[in-house]
Amino acid sequence: MELKLAFIGLGNVARAFARMLDARRSTLEQEYGISWRVTAIATGSHGCALDTNGIDLNEAVAMVERGESLAALPGASIARSAIAMIESCDADIMFETSPLNPVDGEPATEYIKTALARAINVVTANKGPIAFAYRELKQLASKRGVSFRFEGTVMDGTPVFNLAEYCLPAARVTGFYGVLNSTTNLIITEMERGSTFDDALKQARRLGVAEANADHDIDGWDAAVKAVALANVLMGADLRPRDVAPRGIRGITIDDLNEAAREQSAIRLVSRAYRSGDGVTVTVQPEKVPIASALGSACGTSNVLVLRTDLMGELAIFEYDPGVVQTAYALLSDLIRIHERINRARLSE
Amino acid sequence: MELKLAFIGLGNVARAFARMLDARRSTLEQEYGISWRVTAIATGSHGCALDTNGIDLNEAVAMVERGESLAALPGASIARSAIAMIESCDADIMFETSPLNPVDGEPATEYIKTALARAINVVTANKGPIAFAYRELKQLASKRGVSFRFEGTVMDGTPVFNLAEYCLPAARVTGFYGVLNSTTNLIITEMERGSTFDDALKQARRLGVAEANADHDIDGWDAAVKAVALANVLMGADLRPRDVAPRGIRGITIDDLNEAAREQSAIRLVSRAYRSGDGVTVTVQPEKVPIASALGSACGTSNVLVLRTDLMGELAIFEYDPGVVQTAYALLSDLIRIHERINRARLSE
């Protein structure tokens, strides 16, 4: 069985995924029986390409990295828009990696809806659609008998959604807490070492962790979007980021950090979710936590998520020094899951 | 479909599992389509019972807790031995929870072999068979087309084996390190607070964490058995505990711990595995580690395992305050997995 793949977005994550697909081609074929061809690519600023005979993905990646348009691809034709392309691409799986829109999750949500409505399986690394439209997208996927997967949206490739889905059967997630934003955590770690806030932010930018405009991270909105995504999926909530009133790290001083250190503590931007009445409440705020704790031991760009469960007590999963390769791995892991499901459906026909 | 269950061992873990089965009976039936009846129970000191019409598990648990023999169970007959009972029980799944024998993993390994050879699925919470005979047991299960599952053998119910099996597809575990023994970690934490070694050990016994004879824990053998089990399963090693020369925590003094604390560090009994040449090397020894690290933040009875992978970088999973309920949950989670597989096989017939 050859899977037809569509790429919406060919940025850092998608290109790292393309490299991983190429490097693991024989493993995927031999161990999982997966072979694939790319039939559609839509980018924000390099044009689109559509060819059901197959597009050379390595060449497309190289073109984007040279700043060229995909229009020069042999055999490629240019589609009118990403939506028009999704409507006509006839892919088995669409990989949606367009940039996050923290205001309403668009146009990613519309792309995903369009694909699911055509019974195209969808993998996304974009947390917007999970924070703004998870329930609707999940229901649409279910109605059309296809998969909607998003392991890469929170903590990069670290299996947080898969951990709950595959490793905690019959258990319920009753709440969670964690350090979910790398930029703010790196800034705090740099300040613990004596940097000013401004120098720490510059360092985060130098390392490629912070964007040019890091307000979204610093004010806690990135953590809020992730916490809402987790609450919607793991706890059945139906929240939106605006339901959280995040407090970011702007007010934190070197004195605060030194004082915490004297008490064997550290300050972390902590996201929490807990059940309250019929609903779920999510908070994002700086907290003083013991150094020798899950939250305290998350330093620099590392992330941690602690799940509270009814049957398995508390368990935590950590990711160290996350990067684009880990997010790319999440897309690969979602691809393997979807292939398994397609395969099983074909076998039982 | 009603599953016929056999219990080998009705100690703390098996009784907690029996309570969980009873409490979740309707969830298991409604959400997973699992119904069950117990057809055989063998204990070390309370006799055996065998009744294909079904044994009242709650009553059996109550009898053992009152110190009574199972022979008084209505409808029960006494089988000659655990082996004879396994040979005649005709169960779908056997739950093996006999006590660990750290010298050679027997008789648990023999029980499991006997069951697998009769195409009975096996769940064990006993790490001996994984450390002494994993490869052979896995091959036997595969040959007979049944499952051999053991999530409860390392870090109680925390999904370590399932994490690797279900959440890291196409990735390879290249090594691991962790704090895997609760008794020694609790002793170290108590000593960090100023207790002597002897008082800390007494405290661990009072809390039910340490056995009357804790030498096996203190000298690093429990951690070695667990690390070997992990290496055999996650890294394809074929090691035995005697291949490790563990160094335990006997030599550690309060002065050592204080000196480490002054350097923002802590001492932990660390298990490590790494590839060396064609093989895998496992070490168990006390190490000085930063407080603000995965290893350093594991305090008291908490455990941590950090996996190194080729595609997903490093990720860690933590368990806080583990207990018998978490191990019982591992048995439940293995039961659900096996039911899924049986179900799928029946559907595709």
Side-chain angles (χ1 to χ4, degrees):
Chain A
M1 164 173 55
E2 192 185 54
L3 297 170
K4 284 169 287 174
L5 312 184
F7 280 66
I8 307 299
L10 201 58
N12 287 328
V13 166
R15 295 200 307 274
F17 173 55
R19 287 198 177 88
M20 201 176 273
L21 272 180
D22 191 49
R24 302 283 155 163
R25 191 183 277 271
S26 67
T27 306
L28 290 172
E29 179 124 27
Q30 287 157 24
E31 289 182 28
Y32 294 90
I34 298 175
S35 62
W36 49 272
R37 116 178 90 113
V38 174
T39 57
I41 303 175
T43 73
S45 49
H46 298 266
C48 301
L50 183 66
D51 187 342
T52 52
N53 293 318
I55 298 168
D56 183 336
L57 183 59
N58 294 344
E59 183 54 28
V61 166
M63 285 173 157
V64 167
E65 294 186 344
R66 287 193 304 259
E68 296 170 15
S69 159
L70 299 182
L73 273 177
S77 67
I78 301 302
R80 211 176 42 240
S81 68
I83 289 287
M85 212 192 60
I86 296 165
E87 285 171 339
S88 56
C89 72
D90 186 35
D92 296 303
I93 311 179
M94 178 177 97
F95 294 89
E96 201 288 314
T97 58
S98 69
L100 171 67
N101 173 342
V103 176
D104 61 7
E106 293 296 357
T109 302
E110 195 57 35
Y111 295 159
I112 294 172
K113 262 188 222 167
T114 305
L116 293 174
R118 274 155 188 77
I120 298 172
N121 297 280
V122 172
V123 174
T124 186
N126 188 324
K127 56 192 171 286
I130 316 299
F132 287 97
Y134 171 66
R135 198 172 283 196
E136 187 189 351
L137 296 172
K138 187 78 193 167
Q139 283 166 354
L140 182 55
S142 170
K143 200 171 132 195
R144 302 307 310 262
V146 292
S147 296
F148 174 44
R149 305 201 68 86
F150 40 81
E151 185 59 83
T153 58
V154 178
M155 285 177 71
D156 310 281
T158 308
V160 291
F161 297 111
N162 287 334
L163 182 75
E165 181 176 352
Y166 294 104
C167 297
L168 293 172
R172 302 262 184 277
V173 175
T174 57
F176 64 78
Y177 57 97
V179 172
L180 301 175
N181 177 267
S182 293
T183 297
T184 48
N185 211 47
L186 180 63
I187 290 173
I188 289 172
T189 300
E190 291 294 318
M191 287 175 71
E192 285 171 350
R193 292 174 184 155
S195 290
T196 63
F197 179 90
D198 288 340
D199 285 345
L201 176 56
K202 275 180 207 154
Q203 173 68 358
R205 286 201 182 111
R206 252 194 309 273
L207 293 173
V209 176
E211 303 284 325
N213 181 349
D215 290 351
H216 180 65
D217 293 310
I218 292 165
D219 293 325
W221 283 105
D222 178 79
V225 171
K226 286 172 174 164
V228 163
L230 286 168
N232 288 349
V233 178
L234 302 181
M235 300 177 71
D238 195 18
L239 296 170
R240 299 291 175 273
R242 64 176 168 272
D243 298 323
V244 185
R247 279 179 48 213
I249 64 161
R250 261 181 226 281
I252 297 171
T253 65
I254 294 179
D255 284 349
D256 295 336
L257 296 172
N258 287 340
E259 191 192 307
R262 279 193 296 274
E263 301 167 24
Q264 298 290 311
S265 295
I267 294 177
R268 297 284 179 261
L269 184 63
V270 179
S271 302
R272 291 184 183 271
Y274 53 91
R275 295 196 183 282
S276 51
D278 289 345
V280 174
T281 298
V282 168
T283 61
V284 174
Q285 59 189 12
E287 294 185 16
K288 190 160 71 177
V289 300
I291 290 180
S293 68
L295 295 169
S297 71
C299 298
T301 58
S302 296
N303 283 187
V304 60
L305 176 67
V306 185
L307 298 180
R308 292 195 157 121
T309 74
D310 58 349
L311 291 179
M312 228 314 287
E314 284 197 11
L315 75 165
I317 189 155
F318 262 82
E319 179 181 34
Y320 300 102
D321 299 323
V324 79
V325 172
Q326 277 90 333
T327 311
Y329 175 70
L331 301 184
L332 183 70
S333 134
D334 285 344
L335 162 65
I336 292 172
R337 285 281 168 213
I338 291 174
H339 173 262
E340 261 173 24
R341 182 174 168 188
I342 293 174
N343 225 8
R344 205 176 295 150
R346 290 195 185 170
L347 284 174
S348 71
E349 261 167 18
Chain B
M1 162 172 57
E2 192 184 55
L3 296 170
K4 286 170 286 175
L5 311 184
F7 280 64
I8 307 299
L10 203 57
N12 287 328
V13 166
R15 297 201 304 276
F17 173 54
R19 288 199 175 86
M20 201 175 273
L21 271 180
D22 192 50
R24 302 283 155 162
R25 191 183 277 272
S26 66
T27 306
L28 289 173
E29 179 124 27
Q30 286 156 26
E31 289 183 26
Y32 294 89
I34 297 176
S35 62
W36 49 271
R37 117 179 88 113
V38 175
T39 56
I41 302 175
T43 73
S45 48
H46 298 268
C48 302
L50 183 66
D51 187 342
T52 52
N53 293 319
I55 298 168
D56 183 335
L57 183 60
N58 294 345
E59 183 55 26
V61 166
M63 285 173 158
V64 167
E65 293 186 345
R66 288 194 303 259
E68 295 170 16
S69 160
L70 298 183
L73 273 178
S77 68
I78 300 302
R80 212 175 42 239
S81 67
I83 289 287
M85 211 191 61
I86 296 165
E87 284 171 341
S88 56
C89 72
D90 187 36
D92 296 303
I93 310 179
M94 178 177 98
F95 293 90
E96 200 288 316
T97 59
S98 69
L100 171 67
N101 173 340
V103 177
D104 61 5
E106 293 295 355
T109 302
E110 195 56 36
Y111 295 158
I112 294 172
K113 264 188 222 168
T114 306
L116 293 175
R118 273 155 190 78
I120 298 172
N121 296 279
V122 172
V123 174
T124 186
N126 188 324
K127 55 191 171 285
I130 315 299
F132 287 96
Y134 171 66
R135 196 171 285 197
E136 185 188 355
L137 295 171
K138 188 76 193 168
Q139 283 167 353
L140 181 56
S142 171
K143 199 170 130 193
R144 302 309 309 262
V146 292
S147 295
F148 173 45
R149 302 201 70 87
F150 40 82
E151 186 59 81
T153 57
V154 177
M155 286 177 72
D156 310 282
T158 309
V160 291
F161 298 111
N162 286 335
L163 181 75
E165 182 175 352
Y166 294 104
C167 297
L168 293 171
R172 302 264 184 276
V173 175
T174 56
F176 64 79
Y177 57 96
V179 172
L180 301 175
N181 177 267
S182 293
T183 297
T184 48
N185 212 46
L186 181 63
I187 289 173
I188 289 171
T189 300
E190 291 294 318
M191 287 176 71
E192 284 171 350
R193 291 173 185 156
S195 290
T196 62
F197 179 91
D198 288 342
D199 284 346
L201 176 56
K202 275 181 206 152
Q203 174 67 358
R205 286 200 182 111
R206 252 195 309 274
L207 293 173
V209 176
E211 305 284 324
N213 181 348
D215 289 351
H216 180 65
D217 293 311
I218 292 165
D219 293 325
W221 284 104
D222 178 79
V225 171
K226 286 172 175 163
V228 163
L230 287 168
N232 287 348
V233 178
L234 302 182
M235 299 177 70
D238 194 19
L239 295 170
R240 301 290 175 275
R242 65 176 167 272
D243 298 323
V244 185
R247 280 180 46 214
I249 64 162
R250 261 181 226 282
I252 298 172
T253 65
I254 295 179
D255 284 348
D256 295 335
L257 297 172
N258 287 342
E259 191 192 307
R262 278 193 297 274
E263 301 167 24
Q264 297 291 311
S265 295
I267 293 177
R268 297 285 179 262
L269 183 64
V270 179
S271 302
R272 291 185 184 270
Y274 52 91
R275 295 196 184 281
S276 51
D278 288 346
V280 174
T281 299
V282 168
T283 61
V284 174
Q285 60 189 9
E287 294 184 17
K288 191 160 71 176
V289 299
I291 291 179
S293 69
L295 295 169
S297 71
C299 298
T301 57
S302 297
N303 284 186
V304 60
L305 175 67
V306 185
L307 297 180
R308 293 195 157 120
T309 74
D310 58 349
L311 291 179
M312 229 314 287
E314 285 197 12
L315 75 166
I317 189 156
F318 261 82
E319 179 180 35
Y320 299 102
D321 299 323
V324 79
V325 172
Q326 277 90 331
T327 311
Y329 174 70
L331 301 184
L332 183 71
S333 135
D334 285 343
L335 163 66
I336 292 171
R337 285 281 169 212
I338 291 174
H339 173 261
E340 261 173 23
R341 183 174 168 187
I342 293 173
N343 227 7
R344 204 175 296 149
R346 291 195 185 168
L347 285 175
S348 70
E349 263 167 15

mmCIF file of all heavy atoms in Angstrom, chain B residues 307-334:
data_model
loop_
_atom_site.group_PDB
_atom_site.id
_atom_site.type_symbol
_atom_site.label_atom_id
_atom_site.label_comp_id
_atom_site.label_asym_id
_atom_site.label_seq_id
_atom_site.Cartn_x
_atom_site.Cartn_y
_atom_site.Cartn_z
ATOM 1 N N LEU B 307 14.899 7.741 29.248
ATOM 2 C CA LEU B 307 15.233 6.955 28.059
ATOM 3 C C LEU B 307 15.990 7.830 27.076
ATOM 4 O O LEU B 307 15.603 8.974 26.812
ATOM 5 C CB LEU B 307 13.958 6.447 27.369
ATOM 6 C CG LEU B 307 13.063 5.495 28.151
ATOM 7 C CD1 LEU B 307 11.855 5.111 27.297
ATOM 8 C CD2 LEU B 307 13.823 4.247 28.575
ATOM 9 N N ARG B 308 17.083 7.276 26.527
ATOM 10 C CA ARG B 308 17.770 7.932 25.411
ATOM 11 C C ARG B 308 17.311 7.248 24.134
ATOM 12 O O ARG B 308 17.346 6.018 24.046
ATOM 13 C CB ARG B 308 19.279 7.754 25.543
ATOM 14 C CG ARG B 308 19.864 8.470 26.716
ATOM 15 C CD ARG B 308 21.395 8.543 26.569
ATOM 16 N NE ARG B 308 21.899 9.649 27.344
ATOM 17 C CZ ARG B 308 22.783 9.516 28.343
ATOM 18 N NH1 ARG B 308 23.278 8.348 28.645
ATOM 19 N NH2 ARG B 308 23.183 10.577 29.013
ATOM 20 N N THR B 309 16.896 8.043 23.162
ATOM 21 C CA THR B 309 16.416 7.448 21.913
ATOM 22 C C THR B 309 17.128 8.075 20.723
ATOM 23 O O THR B 309 17.720 9.153 20.853
ATOM 24 C CB THR B 309 14.895 7.656 21.734
ATOM 25 O OG1 THR B 309 14.655 9.032 21.393
ATOM 26 C CG2 THR B 309 14.121 7.324 22.998
ATOM 27 N N ASP B 310 17.052 7.393 19.585
ATOM 28 C CA ASP B 310 17.709 7.941 18.390
ATOM 29 C C ASP B 310 16.883 9.048 17.737
ATOM 30 O O ASP B 310 17.438 10.016 17.238
ATOM 31 C CB ASP B 310 18.027 6.829 17.381
ATOM 32 C CG ASP B 310 16.791 6.056 16.946
ATOM 33 O OD1 ASP B 310 15.722 6.216 17.562
ATOM 34 O OD2 ASP B 310 16.900 5.289 15.971
ATOM 35 N N LEU B 311 15.557 8.941 17.757
ATOM 36 C CA LEU B 311 14.734 9.915 17.027
ATOM 37 C C LEU B 311 14.080 10.963 17.927
ATOM 38 O O LEU B 311 13.706 12.030 17.459
ATOM 39 C CB LEU B 311 13.625 9.184 16.247
ATOM 40 C CG LEU B 311 14.075 8.326 15.068
ATOM 41 C CD1 LEU B 311 12.871 7.658 14.421
ATOM 42 C CD2 LEU B 311 14.820 9.163 14.038
ATOM 43 N N MET B 312 13.892 10.643 19.210
ATOM 44 C CA MET B 312 13.096 11.525 20.076
ATOM 45 C C MET B 312 13.951 12.149 21.184
ATOM 46 O O MET B 312 13.409 12.649 22.159
ATOM 47 C CB MET B 312 11.939 10.725 20.677
ATOM 48 C CG MET B 312 10.556 11.378 20.570
ATOM 49 S SD MET B 312 10.531 13.119 21.035
ATOM 50 C CE MET B 312 10.719 12.922 22.827
ATOM 51 N N GLY B 313 15.282 12.135 21.047
ATOM 52 C CA GLY B 313 16.131 12.697 22.091
ATOM 53 C C GLY B 313 15.940 11.957 23.407
ATOM 54 O O GLY B 313 15.708 10.752 23.414
ATOM 55 N N GLU B 314 16.004 12.708 24.526
ATOM 56 C CA GLU B 314 15.845 12.102 25.845
ATOM 57 C C GLU B 314 14.468 12.419 26.387
ATOM 58 O O GLU B 314 14.007 13.550 26.308
ATOM 59 C CB GLU B 314 16.879 12.674 26.830
ATOM 60 C CG GLU B 314 18.256 12.135 26.612
ATOM 61 C CD GLU B 314 19.186 12.361 27.814
ATOM 62 O OE1 GLU B 314 18.716 12.736 28.903
ATOM 63 O OE2 GLU B 314 20.390 12.157 27.640
ATOM 64 N N LEU B 315 13.808 11.413 26.945
ATOM 65 C CA LEU B 315 12.573 11.695 27.672
ATOM 66 C C LEU B 315 12.569 10.895 28.959
ATOM 67 O O LEU B 315 13.186 9.837 29.043
ATOM 68 C CB LEU B 315 11.324 11.440 26.836
ATOM 69 C CG LEU B 315 10.868 10.035 26.574
ATOM 70 C CD1 LEU B 315 9.431 10.070 26.033
ATOM 71 C CD2 LEU B 315 11.742 9.356 25.557
ATOM 72 N N ALA B 316 11.907 11.431 29.970
ATOM 73 C CA ALA B 316 11.905 10.785 31.282
ATOM 74 C C ALA B 316 10.488 10.557 31.735
ATOM 75 O O ALA B 316 9.588 11.342 31.430
ATOM 76 C CB ALA B 316 12.615 11.676 32.301
ATOM 77 N N ILE B 317 10.295 9.463 32.467
ATOM 78 C CA ILE B 317 9.005 9.240 33.086
ATOM 79 C C ILE B 317 9.222 9.033 34.584
ATOM 80 O O ILE B 317 10.151 8.368 35.009
ATOM 81 C CB ILE B 317 8.223 8.100 32.389
ATOM 82 C CG1 ILE B 317 6.789 8.026 32.898
ATOM 83 C CG2 ILE B 317 8.935 6.762 32.496
ATOM 84 C CD1 ILE B 317 5.818 7.389 31.932
ATOM 85 N N PHE B 318 8.370 9.706 35.361
ATOM 86 C CA PHE B 318 8.469 9.741 36.818
ATOM 87 C C PHE B 318 7.279 9.062 37.441
ATOM 88 O O PHE B 318 6.158 9.195 36.949
ATOM 89 C CB PHE B 318 8.346 11.202 37.276
ATOM 90 C CG PHE B 318 9.641 11.859 37.554
ATOM 91 C CD1 PHE B 318 10.378 12.386 36.522
ATOM 92 C CD2 PHE B 318 10.109 11.967 38.852
ATOM 93 C CE1 PHE B 318 11.569 13.025 36.778
ATOM 94 C CE2 PHE B 318 11.301 12.602 39.104
ATOM 95 C CZ PHE B 318 12.037 13.133 38.078
ATOM 96 N N GLU B 319 7.496 8.416 38.569
ATOM 97 C CA GLU B 319 6.383 7.927 39.375
ATOM 98 C C GLU B 319 6.543 8.487 40.780
ATOM 99 O O GLU B 319 7.624 8.433 41.355
ATOM 100 C CB GLU B 319 6.393 6.410 39.431
ATOM 101 C CG GLU B 319 5.256 5.857 40.280
ATOM 102 C CD GLU B 319 5.259 4.341 40.328
ATOM 103 O OE1 GLU B 319 6.360 3.752 40.317
ATOM 104 O OE2 GLU B 319 4.178 3.756 40.374
ATOM 105 N N TYR B 320 5.467 9.032 41.321
ATOM 106 C CA TYR B 320 5.512 9.613 42.660
ATOM 107 C C TYR B 320 4.828 8.687 43.653
ATOM 108 O O TYR B 320 3.726 8.204 43.395
ATOM 109 C CB TYR B 320 4.818 10.985 42.671
ATOM 110 C CG TYR B 320 5.487 11.943 41.740
ATOM 111 C CD1 TYR B 320 4.951 12.229 40.499
ATOM 112 C CD2 TYR B 320 6.718 12.497 42.067
ATOM 113 C CE1 TYR B 320 5.600 13.073 39.606
ATOM 114 C CE2 TYR B 320 7.378 13.340 41.189
ATOM 115 C CZ TYR B 320 6.809 13.626 39.970
ATOM 116 O OH TYR B 320 7.459 14.450 39.089
ATOM 117 N N ASP B 321 5.486 8.456 44.790
ATOM 118 C CA ASP B 321 4.886 7.683 45.875
ATOM 119 C C ASP B 321 4.192 6.421 45.380
ATOM 120 O O ASP B 321 2.996 6.231 45.557
ATOM 121 C CB ASP B 321 3.868 8.559 46.631
ATOM 122 C CG ASP B 321 4.557 9.765 47.230
ATOM 123 O OD1 ASP B 321 5.697 9.626 47.683
ATOM 124 O OD2 ASP B 321 3.941 10.843 47.243
ATOM 125 N N PRO B 322 4.957 5.551 44.750
ATOM 126 C CA PRO B 322 4.349 4.328 44.215
ATOM 127 C C PRO B 322 3.870 3.411 45.326
ATOM 128 O O PRO B 322 4.376 3.467 46.452
ATOM 129 C CB PRO B 322 5.498 3.668 43.455
ATOM 130 C CG PRO B 322 6.740 4.166 44.110
ATOM 131 C CD PRO B 322 6.423 5.569 44.558
ATOM 132 N N GLY B 323 2.908 2.587 44.993
ATOM 133 C CA GLY B 323 2.402 1.639 45.977
ATOM 134 C C GLY B 323 1.763 0.476 45.272
ATOM 135 O O GLY B 323 1.811 0.358 44.040
ATOM 136 N N VAL B 324 1.142 -0.362 46.078
ATOM 137 C CA VAL B 324 0.593 -1.608 45.574
ATOM 138 C C VAL B 324 -0.566 -1.349 44.591
ATOM 139 O O VAL B 324 -0.786 -2.115 43.658
ATOM 140 C CB VAL B 324 0.197 -2.483 46.787
ATOM 141 C CG1 VAL B 324 -1.118 -2.040 47.370
ATOM 142 C CG2 VAL B 324 0.215 -3.936 46.446
ATOM 143 N N VAL B 325 -1.273 -0.221 44.771
ATOM 144 C CA VAL B 325 -2.385 0.088 43.872
ATOM 145 C C VAL B 325 -1.873 0.349 42.454
ATOM 146 O O VAL B 325 -2.493 -0.073 41.478
ATOM 147 C CB VAL B 325 -3.204 1.299 44.399
ATOM 148 C CG1 VAL B 325 -4.222 1.743 43.365
ATOM 149 C CG2 VAL B 325 -3.901 0.922 45.694
ATOM 150 N N GLN B 326 -0.739 1.019 42.339
ATOM 151 C CA GLN B 326 -0.176 1.276 41.012
ATOM 152 C C GLN B 326 0.232 -0.041 40.334
ATOM 153 O O GLN B 326 0.026 -0.208 39.131
ATOM 154 C CB GLN B 326 1.040 2.211 41.092
ATOM 155 C CG GLN B 326 0.669 3.683 41.146
ATOM 156 C CD GLN B 326 0.492 4.195 42.553
ATOM 157 O OE1 GLN B 326 0.124 3.443 43.450
ATOM 158 N NE2 GLN B 326 0.738 5.465 42.743
ATOM 159 N N THR B 327 0.827 -0.953 41.100
ATOM 160 C CA THR B 327 1.195 -2.244 40.505
ATOM 161 C C THR B 327 -0.063 -2.990 40.063
ATOM 162 O O THR B 327 -0.095 -3.607 38.988
ATOM 163 C CB THR B 327 2.005 -3.095 41.494
ATOM 164 O OG1 THR B 327 3.050 -2.292 42.037
ATOM 165 C CG2 THR B 327 2.613 -4.307 40.804
ATOM 166 N N ALA B 328 -1.107 -2.918 40.894
ATOM 167 C CA ALA B 328 -2.378 -3.547 40.523
ATOM 168 C C ALA B 328 -2.897 -2.948 39.216
ATOM 169 O O ALA B 328 -3.415 -3.654 38.346
ATOM 170 C CB ALA B 328 -3.403 -3.353 41.640
ATOM 171 N N TYR B 329 -2.727 -1.632 39.061
ATOM 172 C CA TYR B 329 -3.173 -0.985 37.826
ATOM 173 C C TYR B 329 -2.416 -1.537 36.607
ATOM 174 O O TYR B 329 -3.002 -1.695 35.526
ATOM 175 C CB TYR B 329 -3.023 0.538 37.895
ATOM 176 C CG TYR B 329 -3.352 1.159 36.560
ATOM 177 C CD1 TYR B 329 -4.660 1.171 36.102
ATOM 178 C CD2 TYR B 329 -2.351 1.647 35.730
ATOM 179 C CE1 TYR B 329 -4.970 1.678 34.851
ATOM 180 C CE2 TYR B 329 -2.647 2.152 34.479
ATOM 181 C CZ TYR B 329 -3.956 2.164 34.047
ATOM 182 O OH TYR B 329 -4.251 2.648 32.805
ATOM 183 N N ALA B 330 -1.129 -1.838 36.803
ATOM 184 C CA ALA B 330 -0.360 -2.420 35.690
ATOM 185 C C ALA B 330 -0.991 -3.738 35.243
ATOM 186 O O ALA B 330 -1.071 -4.021 34.047
ATOM 187 C CB ALA B 330 1.091 -2.637 36.107
ATOM 188 N N LEU B 331 -1.448 -4.550 36.198
ATOM 189 C CA LEU B 331 -2.085 -5.821 35.841
ATOM 190 C C LEU B 331 -3.373 -5.561 35.062
ATOM 191 O O LEU B 331 -3.677 -6.238 34.072
ATOM 192 C CB LEU B 331 -2.386 -6.650 37.093
ATOM 193 C CG LEU B 331 -1.198 -7.030 37.986
ATOM 194 C CD1 LEU B 331 -1.658 -7.926 39.129
ATOM 195 C CD2 LEU B 331 -0.111 -7.727 37.199
ATOM 196 N N LEU B 332 -4.133 -4.549 35.498
ATOM 197 C CA LEU B 332 -5.371 -4.197 34.805
ATOM 198 C C LEU B 332 -5.065 -3.732 33.382
ATOM 199 O O LEU B 332 -5.747 -4.121 32.422
ATOM 200 C CB LEU B 332 -6.100 -3.091 35.578
ATOM 201 C CG LEU B 332 -7.453 -2.686 34.996
ATOM 202 C CD1 LEU B 332 -8.479 -3.791 35.217
ATOM 203 C CD2 LEU B 332 -7.957 -1.382 35.632
ATOM 204 N N SER B 333 -4.052 -2.903 33.258
ATOM 205 C CA SER B 333 -3.693 -2.372 31.948
ATOM 206 C C SER B 333 -3.232 -3.515 31.027
ATOM 207 O O SER B 333 -3.597 -3.567 29.845
ATOM 208 C CB SER B 333 -2.649 -1.260 32.166
ATOM 209 O OG SER B 333 -1.587 -1.326 31.288
ATOM 210 N N ASP B 334 -2.480 -4.471 31.564
ATOM 211 C CA ASP B 334 -2.078 -5.641 30.763
ATOM 212 C C ASP B 334 -3.290 -6.491 30.364
ATOM 213 O O ASP B 334 -3.364 -6.999 29.237
ATOM 214 C CB ASP B 334 -1.079 -6.500 31.552
ATOM 215 C CG ASP B 334 0.322 -5.884 31.609
ATOM 216 O OD1 ASP B 334 0.613 -4.985 30.798
ATOM 217 O OD2 ASP B 334 1.129 -6.309 32.463
#
